Amino acid sequence: MLRDNRNRIIAAAVLVAISIWLSVAFSGPQALEVTFFDVGDGLCVFVYTPSGRSILVDCGSSSWRDNSDIGRRLVAPYIQSRGLDSIDVAVLTHPHADHMSGYPGLLDLKPARLILECGADYDSPEHVEFKKAAKRSNAKRNVARRGQVIDMGDGVRADILHPAGVHYLDLNDNSIVIRLIYKNANILLTADASKDAEEEILESGVDVHAQVLQVGHHGSRTATTPKWLAAVNPKIAVISCSKRSRHNFPSRKVTQRLDSFGVRTYTTAKCGAITITTDGDTIKVRTRRNSFR
Ligand SMILES: [Zn+2]
């Protein structure tokens, strides 16, 4: 009787030990997550890899009451909720305020190990503040060029498709364009690249195919040509834009074009924050209105 009890206790302890081991072994995130924050007029994309590495692509808005707040009040708390004290890679696709206004506030709270820039200078108070914050964060600073690959581990990589150099007077066309790759899933982040940049990327012969496309320049009709859409061949499109866009983004012409290509389009204006999750094969979309503001 006593021995039976002891055996039962040992068996129970073994079961508990196994279940703890299983929960530790399988509790890590197995998916790649890409979140497009609802920043109004602007862009801010957080990439979170299966083993917890991070890339932030832009951190700006031009339609918040205080545009410098988005890093401190919107993005930093989200990154904190992931248990991260810093960002592995912070990308500034091009130095326009709607892509960088929140970076100083964010980098002061969540410093980056590496900052990637397009190499174009722009004389604006926001860019001065960005450069000061980058210096304070002690990050390594690199210029992104076509052909570079950032290996994030777990088979996740970020291929730099553009720019090949600073060739354009229009800063938008110097935007860093990134193709995220995880097994069979591809997500293309084009920032504000417009048709001239699209044309140059296609001419370079790099692979642009992606199931998910961040539509260039907030859905402006200066980007997302039929030729570009045919080459990328996305199933899902994400447009970062405001409900009351001063520029009337997204252009109806572009949304109609996306429809005619059979692409399911999500806008941050209508959906709020948009999170794409993939295990490398299937792709899921989750939207959360007002949850990060
Ligand atoms: Zn922009």
Side-chain angles (χ1 to χ4, degrees), residues 94 98-99 192 217-218:
H94 65 298
D98 63 319
H99 295 252
D192 284 359
H217 199 203
H218 317 283

Side-chain angles (χ1 to χ4, degrees), residues 233-254:
N233 195 22
K235 300 284 168 275
I236 295 162
V238 176
I239 303 179
S240 184
C241 58
S242 142
K243 240 186 264 173
R244 289 171 286 277
S245 163
R246 277 174 293 151
H247 311 283
N248 286 324
F249 293 153
S251 141
R252 187 186 286 248
K253 209 171 169 182
V254 168

Side-chain angles (χ1 to χ4, degrees), residues 29-66:
Q30 300 300 310
L32 176 71
E33 259 185 32
V34 180
T35 296
F36 297 81
F37 290 99
D38 177 15
V39 293
D41 290 310
L43 183 68
C44 185
V45 189
F46 183 67
V47 179
Y48 189 57
T49 74
S51 58
R53 299 211 177 118
S54 56
I55 309 178
L56 190 70
V57 179
D58 290 340
C59 183
S61 174
S62 58
S63 61
W64 270 44
R65 208 178 321 156
D66 181 347

Side-chain angles (χ1 to χ4, degrees), residues 3 28 30 38 67 108 146 149 153 159 173 182 215 220-221 224 247 268 274 279 293:
R3 185 174 289 173
Q30 300 300 310
D38 177 15
N67 295 320
D108 285 348
R146 178 178 303 144
V149 174
D159 285 8
D173 280 327
Y182 180 40
V215 174
S220 153
R221 62 178 170 189
T224 323
H247 311 283
T268 54
I274 299 162
D279 59 2
R293 300 189 73 158

